[in-house]
Amino acid sequence: MRSKEVPAPTESQALLGSARDRVRWYRCSLSREQLAELNRRSDVMGLFQTGGYLGLLALTGSAAYFSAGRLPWPMVVLITLFHGACYNFLINGFHELVHDSVFKTRALNRWFLWVFSFLGWYNHIHFWASHTAHHKYTLHPPDDGEVVLPVRLTLRGFLFSTILNFPGLYYTLRSTVRRSLGRLEGEWEIQLFTNAHPELRRKLVNWSRFLLAGHASIVIISLSRGLWLLPVVVSLAPFYGGALHYLCNSSQHVGLRNNVPDFRLCCRTIILNPFVQFLYWHMNYHIEHHMYARVPCYKLGKLHRLIRHELPASPRGLLQTWKQIITILKRQRVEPDYQYSAVLPEISSAALLHSASKAVSPTL
């Protein structure tokens, strides 16, 4: 069926004009009633996901903070790394809030977006513009500059994310300072924030300045009062203990195909246990998220069950997922142009014709 009428583009969407025609994406069929129910947002479910996640961060952060001086230092380090492991998934909550799909009440969505953006050092102005193009032209270069294949994953990068992610900290500080000075860098960033949209560039600069001022205040006030661990569990938390997040988030597109009009071939859905799925904000259902981007994260499991007969087999657990990914990456070392093509289930000719008639791009 055809999705509901697409609303007028936002400011960030408007600046992403492209010479490319809209991609005619394949979409698994849903009835109007099913899609309407799936798209329905809930403040209760939104608060359960958001409040539960922030409550977990408060619990792990408090455990790390109060363990210092009371427990042996190896235990303090382990508790702090576990806090970082949970904190790294903040970006997935931020991502969902950028989609404006977590809460029925828009003000709640926007307020928590600011909270998540600050806590994680994220610039929602930049991400909104970039992520709009990523959904509209998923893995269709040059229009999708957010994910460009082939993605190079290294053991060194994984190990950095596991303990102390110095490259991530350096990049975040450098890019935040640079943007706060109004300096854009790289073809993709310049394409997103053209001179034709000075107001959007101004918002980008102002939020970067707010991030620097806010986190600098946390560090200065904490150190002046001898609360040296407070910045560690807040401002530095996105930069350590990220191994689990690395394994989850890196699985979304790596090794798959680009320039195909089928999310089942350029995105990967994996099946995870309930706790990790909660931490990951249900983004393990990544085909489903791209195919129907307005569906709230807490309903992606239901969407998966409705359309899984049209999806390729989903790896179960991170071990099976990474066995598949590592096999692909090894082959790409000797065949640089190789891309994994998932085996799709057979569907009727009528379904193919029905899907081919659709040309509605997913929206935020």
Side-chain angles (χ1 to χ4, degrees):
M1 61 160 287
R2 186 177 295 275
S3 300
K4 291 184 177 181
E5 181 181 357
V6 178
T10 63
E11 183 179 16
S12 58
Q13 290 170 319
L15 66 86
L16 290 169
S18 170
R20 182 189 298 279
D21 293 331
R22 281 187 174 181
V23 180
R24 302 181 69 85
W25 291 107
Y26 173 85
R27 298 187 194 283
C28 298
S29 55
L30 292 170
S31 69
R32 289 183 180 273
E33 294 74 21
Q34 287 173 325
L35 187 57
E37 194 283 326
L38 287 167
N39 283 340
R40 193 171 296 119
R41 302 160 192 174
S42 165
D43 286 344
V44 173
M45 291 299 296
L47 284 171
F48 177 81
Q49 175 68 43
T50 307
Y53 177 74
L54 288 176
L56 177 64
L57 295 192
L59 180 64
T60 57
S62 298
Y65 184 86
F66 290 109
S67 67
R70 295 174 175 85
L71 295 177
W73 71 263
M75 290 296 297
V76 176
V77 171
L78 287 176
I79 294 170
T80 304
L81 286 176
F82 180 69
H83 170 63
C86 296
Y87 205 102
N88 269 260
F89 287 93
L90 194 78
I91 193 170
N92 299 105
F94 161 78
H95 161 267
E96 288 304 292
L97 291 161
V98 167
H99 273 273
D100 202 19
S101 62
V102 179
F103 295 97
K104 180 179 179 181
T105 302
R106 186 176 178 84
L108 280 173
N109 204 94
R110 191 47 51 96
W111 189 83
F112 279 110
L113 173 60
W114 292 334
V115 171
F116 276 54
S117 297
F118 176 76
L119 291 176
W121 290 83
Y122 310 131
N123 195 309
H124 56 284
I125 309 300
H126 185 279
F127 187 79
W128 195 311
S130 175
H131 204 62
T132 300
H134 173 58
H135 269 268
K136 192 174 181 181
Y137 301 112
T138 307
L139 273 64
H140 281 71
D143 298 282
D144 179 9
E146 187 170 294
V147 178
V148 180
L149 297 181
V151 176
R152 303 298 182 191
L153 301 179
T154 64
L155 179 60
R156 182 172 179 267
F158 172 71
L159 293 176
F160 265 124
S161 71
T162 301
I163 303 177
L164 294 176
N165 189 1
F166 288 113
L169 175 60
Y170 170 76
Y171 172 80
T172 298
L173 288 174
R174 180 180 179 277
S175 60
T176 304
V177 170
R178 175 175 54 77
R179 291 168 187 160
S180 73
L181 298 174
R183 298 199 336 246
L184 302 181
E185 189 174 274
E187 182 179 346
W188 180 239
E189 195 167 87
I190 293 170
Q191 177 183 335
L192 291 173
F193 297 95
T194 65
N195 292 326
H197 299 275
E199 181 59 30
L200 201 60
R201 294 182 68 159
R202 193 175 306 116
K203 290 179 181 178
L204 180 78
V205 170
N206 289 341
W207 184 259
S208 297
R209 291 173 178 173
F210 176 75
L211 287 177
L212 291 173
H215 285 284
S217 298
I218 290 175
V219 172
I220 293 170
I221 293 173
S222 297
L223 294 182
S224 68
R225 299 190 176 186
L227 307 175
W228 63 269
L229 196 56
L230 185 60
V232 175
V233 299
V234 179
S235 297
L236 294 179
F239 308 108
Y240 57 81
L244 180 60
H245 181 263
Y246 183 100
L247 293 175
C248 290
N249 224 52
S250 298
S251 70
Q252 294 175 358
H253 304 284
V254 64
L256 302 180
R257 295 179 59 187
N258 58 8
N259 287 304
V260 289
D262 194 330
F263 294 118
R264 300 174 301 171
L265 299 176
C266 61
C267 303
R268 180 183 284 107
T269 283
I270 62 178
I271 306 302
L272 297 174
N273 68 65
F275 176 68
V276 177
Q277 181 172 298
F278 171 78
L279 275 182
Y280 194 22
W281 287 69
H282 310 271
M283 281 298 100
N284 52 300
Y285 297 114
H286 214 63
I287 297 172
E288 296 81 352
H289 170 63
H290 272 262
M291 193 173 286
Y292 289 104
R294 293 186 183 183
V295 174
C297 63
Y298 42 79
K299 290 188 177 181
L300 289 175
K302 182 175 183 179
L303 173 58
H304 173 78
R305 291 187 290 274
L306 287 172
I307 65 174
R308 62 186 168 190
H309 60 283
E310 291 190 50
L311 302 180
S314 301
R316 302 191 69 86
L318 289 173
L319 181 60
Q320 190 178 101
T321 299
W322 279 90
K323 280 183 177 179
Q324 181 191 87
I325 292 173
I326 290 171
T327 300
I328 295 169
L329 295 178
K330 284 182 177 178
R331 183 166 174 181
Q332 286 182 336
R333 288 178 187 172
V334 295
E335 300 178 49
D337 295 330
Y338 171 73
Q339 295 181 328
Y340 176 74
S341 187
V343 178
L344 302 178
E346 294 184 4
I347 59 175
S348 67
S349 300
L352 281 171
L353 289 172
H354 178 66
S355 178
S357 68
K358 301 175 184 178
V360 179
S361 175
T363 64
L364 298 182

Coordinates of all heavy atoms in Angstrom, one line a residue, residues 112-167:
F112 N 13.6 16.0 25.4 CA 14.5 14.9 25.6 C 15.6 14.9 24.6 O 16.7 14.4 24.8 CB 13.8 13.5 25.7 CG 13.2 13.3 27.0 CD1 11.8 13.3 27.2 CD2 14.0 13.0 28.1 CE1 11.2 13.0 28.4 CE2 13.4 12.7 29.4 CZ 12.0 12.7 29.5
L113 N 15.3 15.4 23.4 CA 16.3 15.5 22.3 C 17.4 16.4 22.8 O 18.6 16.1 22.6 CB 15.7 16.0 21.0 CG 16.7 16.3 19.9 CD1 17.5 15.1 19.5 CD2 16.0 16.9 18.7
W114 N 17.1 17.5 23.4 CA 18.1 18.4 23.9 C 18.9 17.8 25.0 O 20.1 18.0 25.1 CB 17.4 19.7 24.4 CG 16.8 20.5 23.3 CD1 17.2 20.6 22.0 CD2 15.7 21.5 23.5 NE1 16.4 21.4 21.3 CE2 15.4 22.0 22.2 CE3 14.9 21.8 24.5 CZ2 14.4 22.9 21.9 CZ3 13.9 22.8 24.3 CH2 13.7 23.3 23.0
V115 N 18.2 17.1 25.9 CA 18.9 16.4 27.0 C 19.9 15.4 26.5 O 21.1 15.4 26.8 CB 17.9 15.7 27.9 CG1 18.7 14.8 29.0 CG2 17.1 16.7 28.7
F116 N 19.5 14.5 25.5 CA 20.4 13.5 25.0 C 21.5 14.1 24.2 O 22.6 13.7 24.2 CB 19.6 12.5 24.1 CG 18.9 11.4 24.8 CD1 18.0 11.7 25.9 CD2 19.1 10.1 24.5 CE1 17.4 10.7 26.6 CE2 18.5 9.1 25.2 CZ 17.6 9.4 26.2
S117 N 21.2 15.2 23.4 CA 22.2 15.9 22.6 C 23.3 16.4 23.5 O 24.5 16.3 23.2 CB 21.5 17.0 21.8 OG 20.6 16.5 20.9
F118 N 22.9 17.0 24.6 CA 23.9 17.6 25.5 C 24.7 16.5 26.2 O 26.0 16.6 26.2 CB 23.3 18.5 26.6 CG 24.3 19.0 27.6 CD1 25.1 20.1 27.2 CD2 24.4 18.4 28.9 CE1 26.0 20.6 28.2 CE2 25.3 18.9 29.8 CZ 26.1 20.0 29.4
L119 N 24.1 15.5 26.8 CA 24.8 14.4 27.5 C 25.8 13.7 26.6 O 26.9 13.3 27.1 CB 23.8 13.5 28.1 CG 22.9 14.0 29.2 CD1 21.9 12.9 29.7 CD2 23.8 14.4 30.4
G120 N 25.5 13.5 25.3 CA 26.3 12.8 24.4 C 27.2 13.6 23.6 O 27.9 13.0 22.7
W121 N 27.3 14.9 23.7 CA 28.1 15.8 22.9 C 27.6 15.7 21.4 O 28.4 15.9 20.5 CB 29.6 15.4 22.9 CG 30.3 15.7 24.1 CD1 30.4 14.9 25.2 CD2 31.1 16.8 24.4 NE1 31.2 15.4 26.2 CE2 31.7 16.6 25.7 CE3 31.5 17.9 23.7 CZ2 32.6 17.5 26.3 CZ3 32.4 18.8 24.3 CH2 32.9 18.6 25.6
Y122 N 26.3 15.5 21.2 CA 25.8 15.4 19.8 C 25.2 16.7 19.3 O 24.6 17.5 20.1 CB 24.7 14.3 19.7 CG 25.0 13.0 20.4 CD1 24.2 12.4 21.3 CD2 26.3 12.4 20.1 CE1 24.5 11.2 21.9 CE2 26.6 11.2 20.7 CZ 25.7 10.6 21.6 OH 26.0 9.4 22.2
N123 N 25.4 17.0 18.1 CA 24.8 18.2 17.5 C 23.6 17.8 16.6 O 23.8 17.3 15.5 CB 25.9 18.9 16.6 CG 25.4 20.3 16.2 OD1 24.3 20.5 15.8 ND2 26.3 21.3 16.5
H124 N 22.4 17.9 17.2 CA 21.2 17.5 16.5 C 20.9 18.2 15.3 O 20.3 17.7 14.4 CB 20.0 17.5 17.5 CG 19.8 18.9 18.1 ND1 20.5 19.4 19.1 CD2 18.8 19.8 17.8 CE1 20.0 20.6 19.4 NE2 19.0 20.9 18.6
I125 N 21.4 19.5 15.2 CA 21.2 20.2 13.9 C 22.0 19.5 12.8 O 21.4 19.3 11.7 CB 21.7 21.7 14.1 CG1 21.2 22.3 15.3 CG2 21.4 22.5 12.8 CD1 19.7 22.4 15.4
H126 N 23.2 19.2 13.0 CA 24.0 18.5 12.0 C 23.5 17.1 11.7 O 23.3 16.8 10.5 CB 25.5 18.4 12.5 CG 26.4 17.8 11.5 ND1 26.5 16.5 11.3 CD2 27.3 18.4 10.7 CE1 27.4 16.3 10.3 NE2 27.9 17.4 10.0
F127 N 23.1 16.4 12.7 CA 22.7 15.0 12.5 C 21.3 15.0 11.8 O 21.1 14.1 10.9 CB 22.5 14.3 13.8 CG 22.2 12.8 13.7 CD1 23.2 11.9 13.4 CD2 20.9 12.4 13.9 CE1 23.0 10.6 13.3 CE2 20.6 11.0 13.7 CZ 21.7 10.1 13.4
W128 N 20.5 15.9 12.1 CA 19.1 16.0 11.4 C 19.3 16.1 9.9 O 18.7 15.4 9.1 CB 18.3 17.1 12.0 CG 16.8 17.1 11.7 CD1 16.3 16.9 10.4 CD2 15.8 17.2 12.6 NE1 14.9 16.9 10.5 CE2 14.6 17.1 11.9 CE3 15.7 17.4 13.9 CZ2 13.3 17.2 12.5 CZ3 14.5 17.5 14.5 CH2 13.3 17.4 13.8
A129 N 20.2 17.1 9.5 CA 20.4 17.3 8.1 C 21.0 16.1 7.4 O 20.6 15.6 6.3 CB 21.3 18.5 7.9
S130 N 22.0 15.5 8.1 CA 22.7 14.4 7.5 C 21.9 13.1 7.4 O 21.8 12.4 6.4 CB 24.0 14.1 8.3 OG 24.7 12.9 7.8
H131 N 21.1 12.9 8.5 CA 20.3 11.7 8.6 C 19.1 11.7 7.7 O 18.7 10.6 7.2 CB 19.9 11.4 10.0 CG 19.6 10.0 10.3 ND1 20.6 9.0 10.3 CD2 18.5 9.3 10.7 CE1 20.1 7.8 10.6 NE2 18.8 8.0 10.9
T132 N 18.6 12.8 7.4 CA 17.5 12.9 6.4 C 18.0 12.4 5.0 O 17.3 11.6 4.4 CB 17.1 14.4 6.2 OG1 16.6 14.9 7.5 CG2 16.0 14.5 5.2
A133 N 19.2 12.8 4.6 CA 19.7 12.3 3.4 C 20.0 10.8 3.4 O 19.8 10.0 2.5 CB 21.0 13.0 3.0
H134 N 20.5 10.3 4.6 CA 20.8 8.9 4.7 C 19.6 8.0 4.5 O 19.6 7.0 3.9 CB 21.4 8.7 6.1 CG 21.6 7.2 6.5 ND1 22.4 6.4 5.7 CD2 21.1 6.5 7.5 CE1 22.4 5.2 6.2 NE2 21.6 5.2 7.3
H135 N 18.4 8.5 5.1 CA 17.2 7.7 4.9 C 16.6 7.8 3.5 O 16.1 6.9 2.9 CB 16.1 8.2 5.9 CG 16.2 7.4 7.2 ND1 15.4 6.3 7.4 CD2 17.0 7.5 8.3 CE1 15.7 5.8 8.6 NE2 16.6 6.5 9.1
K136 N 16.8 9.0 2.9 CA 16.2 9.2 1.6 C 17.0 8.5 0.5 O 16.4 7.9 -0.4 CB 16.2 10.7 1.3 CG 15.4 11.2 0.1 CD 15.4 12.7 0.1 CE 14.6 13.2 -1.1 NZ 14.6 14.7 -1.2
Y137 N 18.3 8.4 0.7 CA 19.2 7.8 -0.3 C 20.1 6.8 0.3 O 21.3 6.8 0.0 CB 20.0 8.9 -1.0 CG 19.2 10.0 -1.7 CD1 19.2 11.3 -1.2 CD2 18.5 9.7 -2.8 CE1 18.5 12.3 -1.8 CE2 17.7 10.7 -3.4 CZ 17.8 12.0 -2.9 OH 17.0 13.0 -3.5
T138 N 19.6 5.9 1.1 CA 20.4 5.0 1.8 C 21.4 4.2 0.9 O 21.0 3.5 0.0 CB 19.5 3.9 2.6 OG1 18.6 4.6 3.4 CG2 20.4 3.0 3.4
L139 N 22.7 4.4 1.2 CA 23.8 3.8 0.5 C 23.7 4.1 -1.0 O 24.1 3.2 -1.8 CB 23.8 2.3 0.8 CG 24.7 1.9 2.0 CD1 24.0 2.5 3.3 CD2 24.9 0.4 2.1
H140 N 23.3 5.2 -1.4 CA 23.3 5.7 -2.8 C 24.2 6.9 -2.9 O 23.8 8.0 -2.8 CB 21.9 6.1 -3.3 CG 21.1 4.9 -3.7 ND1 20.5 4.0 -2.7 CD2 20.6 4.4 -4.9 CE1 19.8 3.1 -3.3 NE2 19.9 3.3 -4.6
P141 N 25.5 6.7 -3.0 CA 26.4 7.8 -3.1 C 26.2 8.6 -4.4 O 25.8 8.0 -5.4 CB 27.8 7.1 -3.1 CG 27.6 5.7 -3.6 CD 26.2 5.4 -3.2
P142 N 26.5 9.9 -4.4 CA 27.0 10.7 -3.4 C 25.9 11.3 -2.5 O 26.3 12.2 -1.6 CB 27.7 11.8 -4.1 CG 26.9 12.0 -5.3 CD 26.4 10.7 -5.7
D143 N 24.7 11.0 -2.7 CA 23.6 11.6 -1.9 C 23.5 11.2 -0.5 O 23.0 11.9 0.4 CB 22.3 11.4 -2.6 CG 22.2 12.0 -4.0 OD1 22.0 13.2 -4.1 OD2 22.4 11.2 -5.0
D144 N 24.0 10.0 -0.2 CA 24.1 9.5 1.2 C 25.6 9.6 1.6 O 26.4 8.8 1.2 CB 23.6 8.1 1.4 CG 23.8 7.6 2.8 OD1 24.1 8.4 3.7 OD2 23.5 6.4 3.0
G145 N 26.0 10.7 2.3 CA 27.3 10.8 2.7 C 27.5 10.4 4.2 O 28.6 10.5 4.7
E146 N 26.5 9.9 4.8 CA 26.6 9.5 6.2 C 27.2 8.1 6.3 O 28.0 7.8 7.2 CB 25.2 9.5 6.9 CG 25.2 9.2 8.3 CD 23.9 9.5 9.0 OE1 23.5 10.7 9.0 OE2 23.2 8.6 9.5
V147 N 26.8 7.2 5.4 CA 27.3 5.8 5.4 C 27.8 5.6 3.9 O 27.0 5.6 3.0 CB 26.3 4.8 5.7 CG1 26.9 3.4 5.6 CG2 25.8 5.0 7.2
V148 N 29.1 5.4 3.8 CA 29.7 5.2 2.5 C 30.5 3.9 2.5 O 31.3 3.7 3.3 CB 30.7 6.4 2.1 CG1 31.3 6.1 0.7 CG2 30.0 7.7 2.1
L149 N 30.1 3.0 1.6 CA 30.7 1.7 1.5 C 32.0 1.8 0.6 O 32.0 2.6 -0.3 CB 29.8 0.6 1.0 CG 28.5 0.4 1.8 CD1 27.7 -0.7 1.2 CD2 28.9 0.0 3.2
P150 N 33.0 0.9 0.8 CA 33.0 -0.1 1.9 C 33.4 0.6 3.2 O 34.2 1.5 3.3 CB 34.1 -1.0 1.4 CG 35.0 -0.2 0.6 CD 34.2 0.8 -0.1
V151 N 32.8 0.1 4.3 CA 33.1 0.5 5.7 C 34.3 -0.3 6.1 O 34.3 -1.6 6.0 CB 32.0 0.3 6.6 CG1 32.4 0.6 8.0 CG2 30.8 1.1 6.2
R152 N 35.4 0.3 6.6 CA 36.6 -0.3 7.0 C 36.6 -0.5 8.5 O 36.6 0.5 9.3 CB 37.8 0.5 6.6 CG 38.0 0.7 5.1 CD 38.1 -0.6 4.3 NE 38.2 -0.4 2.9 CZ 38.1 -1.3 2.0 NH1 37.9 -2.6 2.4 NH2 38.3 -1.1 0.7
L153 N 36.5 -1.7 9.0 CA 36.5 -1.9 10.5 C 37.8 -2.6 10.8 O 38.3 -3.5 10.1 CB 35.3 -2.9 10.9 CG 33.9 -2.3 10.5 CD1 32.9 -3.4 10.9 CD2 33.7 -1.0 11.2
T154 N 38.4 -2.1 11.9 CA 39.7 -2.7 12.3 C 39.7 -3.1 13.8 O 38.9 -2.6 14.6 CB 40.8 -1.6 12.1 OG1 40.6 -0.5 13.0 CG2 40.9 -1.1 10.7
L155 N 40.6 -4.1 14.1 CA 40.7 -4.5 15.5 C 41.2 -3.3 16.3 O 40.7 -3.2 17.5 CB 41.7 -5.6 15.5 CG 42.0 -6.2 16.9 CD1 40.8 -6.8 17.6 CD2 43.1 -7.3 16.9
R156 N 42.0 -2.5 15.8 CA 42.5 -1.3 16.6 C 41.3 -0.4 16.9 O 41.2 0.1 18.1 CB 43.5 -0.5 15.7 CG 44.1 0.7 16.4 CD 45.2 1.3 15.5 NE 45.8 2.4 16.1 CZ 45.5 3.7 15.8 NH1 44.5 3.9 15.0 NH2 46.1 4.7 16.4
G157 N 40.4 -0.2 16.0 CA 39.2 0.7 16.3 C 38.3 0.0 17.3 O 37.8 0.8 18.2
F158 N 38.2 -1.3 17.3 CA 37.4 -2.0 18.2 C 38.0 -1.9 19.6 O 37.3 -1.6 20.6 CB 37.2 -3.4 17.9 CG 36.5 -4.3 18.9 CD1 35.2 -4.1 19.2 CD2 37.3 -5.2 19.6 CE1 34.6 -4.9 20.2 CE2 36.7 -6.0 20.6 CZ 35.3 -5.8 20.9
L159 N 39.3 -2.1 19.7 CA 40.0 -2.0 21.0 C 39.9 -0.6 21.6 O 39.8 -0.5 22.8 CB 41.4 -2.5 20.9 CG 41.6 -4.0 20.5 CD1 43.1 -4.3 20.3 CD2 41.0 -4.8 21.6
F160 N 40.1 0.4 20.8 CA 39.9 1.8 21.3 C 38.5 2.0 21.9 O 38.4 2.6 23.0 CB 40.2 2.8 20.2 CG 41.6 3.3 20.1 CD1 42.3 3.2 18.9 CD2 42.2 3.9 21.2 CE1 43.6 3.6 18.9 CE2 43.5 4.4 21.1 CZ 44.2 4.2 20.0
S161 N 37.5 1.5 21.2 CA 36.2 1.7 21.7 C 35.9 0.9 23.0 O 35.1 1.3 23.8 CB 35.1 1.2 20.7 OG 35.1 -0.2 20.5
T162 N 36.7 -0.2 23.2 CA 36.5 -1.0 24.4 C 36.9 -0.3 25.7 O 36.1 -0.4 26.7 CB 37.3 -2.3 24.2 OG1 36.9 -3.0 23.0 CG2 37.1 -3.2 25.4
I163 N 38.0 0.4 25.7 CA 38.5 1.0 27.0 C 38.4 2.5 26.9 O 37.4 3.1 27.4 CB 39.9 0.5 27.3 CG1 39.9 -1.1 27.3 CG2 40.4 1.0 28.6 CD1 41.3 -1.7 27.6
L164 N 39.4 3.1 26.3 CA 39.4 4.6 26.1 C 39.4 5.0 24.7 O 40.4 4.7 24.0 CB 40.5 5.2 26.9 CG 40.5 5.0 28.4 CD1 41.8 5.6 29.0 CD2 39.3 5.7 29.0
N165 N 38.4 5.6 24.2 CA 38.3 6.0 22.8 C 38.9 7.3 22.6 O 38.2 8.3 22.4 CB 36.8 5.9 22.3 CG 36.7 6.1 20.8 OD1 37.6 6.2 20.1 ND2 35.4 6.1 20.4
F166 N 40.2 7.4 22.6 CA 40.9 8.7 22.4 C 40.6 9.3 21.0 O 40.4 10.5 21.0 CB 42.4 8.5 22.6 CG 42.8 8.2 24.0 CD1 43.3 7.0 24.4 CD2 42.7 9.3 24.9 CE1 43.7 6.8 25.7 CE2 43.1 9.1 26.3 CZ 43.6 7.8 26.6
P167 N 40.6 8.5 19.9 CA 40.3 9.1 18.6 C 38.9 9.8 18.6 O 38.7 10.8 18.1 CB 40.4 8.0 17.7 CG 41.3 7.0 18.3 CD 41.0 7.1 19.8

